[in-house]
Each structure stands twice: as C-alpha cells, then as structure tokens.
Amino acid sequence: MSGRFITIEGGEGAGKSTAQAYIAKKLEQSGHSVVCTREPGGTPLAEAIRHTLLNLEGEAPIEMAELLLVFAARAQHLAKVIEPALEKGQWVICDRFTDATFAYQGAARGLPLEAISKLERLVQGERRPHAVVLMDLSPEIGMARARARGALDRFEQEDIAFYDRVRAGYLSRAKALPAQYSIVDASQRLDAVRQDLSQLIDDWLSHD
Ligand code: T5A
C-alpha cells in the first residue's frame, strides 16, 4: 500500500481538527497506518516556531518574517515527519499546509503569490498534497465556534475582512486546482460533515 499526503484546510474554527480525527479513524479502520500532524508545527522546532507565530506576547513578526517562519517550520516538518512517513507507505493527514500560506500570507496579508510559489518550490521540490480537503465556512460562524472553544491566538484577533480574504483565497485556489481540492460545507451538522468526509475517503481508497 502506498502512502498518501492529505491536507485539511479552512478558516478559523472550520472543523479541521475534528475532520482530521474522523478521517484518521476511518483510514485506520480500513487497515492503513496513519500519521496525524499539523502546520505550523509537527516537530519540536516547528512547534517552537508555531508558538512564536501564534503567541500574543512579545514582538509580532512583520509579514515577510511571518512567511519565512512558516516555511522554515515546513522545511523541518517535511524532512523529519512527512517525507519519512510517506516513504514508509503511511498516510499523512496534515491540519493545514501550504494552501494556508497562499490564503493567509498571500490573499489575506497581501504578500505576492509568486514569492510564495517560489518558496514552495524551494522548500518542497515536487511535493504537493495528493488531496486537499477544504472545510468551507463563513468566518462569522467559524469565529463563533473558535470563541466558544477558548482563548484566541494572534491570528484569531484579526477583523472579519481578513477572514473574508482568507476564505476567498482558499476558494480561488480550489477553483484553480479542482483535481486536488474537495470542498466540504462545514456549516452542516457534524453527522452530515462526516457523511461527506466518508465519501471522500471511499473515493481515495478506491484509487489506492
Ligand atoms: N497559518 C498556518 C498561516 O498563517 N499560514 C500557514 O501557512 C499556516 C500553516 C494556525 C494558525 O496559523 C495560521 C492560520 C491559523 O490561524 P490552527 O490552530 O491550525 O492555527 O488553526 P485554527 O483554525 O485556529 O484551528 P482551530 O482548532 O481553531 O479550528 P479547527 O481545527 O478548524 O476546528 P475544530 O475542529 O477544533 O472545531 C472548532 C469547534 O467547533 C466544533 C468543535 O467541536 C470545536 O469546538 N465543531 C462543530 N460545531 C458544530 N458543527 C460542526 N459541523 C462542527 N465541527 C466542529
């Protein structure tokens, strides 16, 4: 059995972690070995970068520093976790990856998409997700869910226009890369979301 690299994307509180746990459970039940990880993060160094990026205290990184920190964490994560797992034939289910960079640092912060594409090539070579699951949700509902869950991080302190740009950025990537992207309506009840995810999983397994 060959490994697959699946990423889960979406705005704040869209249900990515919930979807990740569900997908991992279903794949394991079908006999696959699964690695669940996240970005920024996934290794001790990359988690330290995550802490720096999300923390509200201390000096906030300027936009370019934020972009480079995200890719520094990604380089470490790819080399230490993602590539070794894929080489072993495991399925890697990653909560956010480079599509988040295009949406947050590109569409929302306004950094040039060509610069992000260059860093993508430099850091990842040819590595791209086999499938991207976009949990699409209005920022108003997503932020209400995130608030209900607990304290907000630095990215969760932005205004609603920022999250509107994030959502538009994701939807525009989905339109440009239809073979890679699947959009899930994350405003549905959890059982309906799970049904949609089950269909996607069946589809991936039928191509295994
Ligand atoms: N970032 C990241 C960048 O700027 N650039 C990058 O390149 C990368 C990789 C990381 C931050 O870093 C930024 C973007 C992010 O702001 P994060 O913790 O990964 O932060 O992202 P968050 O969106 O903050 O993660 P959350 O944990 O808040 O949201 P999730 O994982 O989308 O949502 P989840 O599953 O925890 O669910 C949230 C709540 O909603 C409930 C859950 O039970 C939970 O309480 N819920 C539902 N409720 C009703 N109906 C449903 N269908 C529900 N599904 C879940």
Side-chain angles (χ1 to χ4, degrees):
M1 284 188 285
S2 55
R4 286 295 177 88
F5 182 31
I6 311 289
T7 63
I8 307 175
E9 297 284 358
E12 257 58 33
K16 297 176 297 299
S17 314
T18 309
Q20 181 186 40
Y22 180 73
I23 292 169
K25 193 178 89 183
K26 296 294 274 185
L27 287 170
E28 276 164 357
Q29 283 169 352
S30 350
H32 293 272
S33 173
V34 177
V35 172
C36 280
T37 188
R38 67 174 182 182
E39 288 219 345
T43 81
L45 176 59
E47 288 289 332
I49 295 173
R50 177 190 179 90
H51 179 75
T52 301
L53 283 167
L54 270 58
N55 193 5
L56 284 166
E57 282 146 30
E59 182 186 4
I62 62 159
E63 287 150 3
M64 185 55 77
E66 183 177 277
L67 173 66
L68 295 172
L69 283 168
V70 159
F71 269 107
R74 185 160 298 139
Q76 192 75 9
H77 189 208
L78 273 164
K80 297 282 184 185
V81 175
I82 298 174
E83 295 297 352
L86 292 173
E87 269 165 37
K88 280 193 257 170
Q90 295 176 297
W91 285 59
V92 177
I93 316 297
C94 191
D95 186 340
R96 297 191 184 279
F97 194 62
T98 307
D99 291 86
T101 315
F102 281 102
Y104 282 79
Q105 283 65 49
R109 297 253 193 255
L111 290 173
L113 299 183
E114 314 83 73
I116 300 175
S117 294
K118 276 188 190 157
L119 287 167
E120 182 184 40
R121 279 195 295 279
L122 177 71
V123 169
Q124 297 169 219
E126 297 299 309
R127 174 63 64 203
R128 300 290 179 277
H130 294 105
V132 180
V133 179
L134 174 57
M135 305 298 293
D136 182 50
L137 184 65
S138 81
E140 287 81 1
I141 303 176
M143 282 311 295
R145 284 187 192 167
R147 263 187 220 106
R149 201 206 37 210
L152 301 180
D153 64 40
R154 192 170 65 83
F155 284 94
E156 292 166 339
Q157 310 277 331
E158 298 286 345
D159 57 20
I160 214 77
F162 178 88
Y163 306 119
D164 282 337
R165 293 196 295 279
V166 168
R167 187 184 194 189
Y170 274 127
L171 289 172
S172 132
R173 294 265 307 159
K175 206 170 167 192
L177 300 165
Q180 203 180 30
Y181 262 83
S182 298
I183 302 179
V184 172
D185 175 0
S187 69
Q188 303 176 96
R189 287 164 45 121
L190 206 47
D191 52 350
V193 168
R194 286 190 178 134
Q195 243 174 31
D196 288 357
L197 293 172
S198 286
Q199 274 180 12
L200 287 179
I201 296 164
D202 289 346
D203 189 43
W204 299 333
L205 293 177
S206 73
H207 293 98
D208 199 20

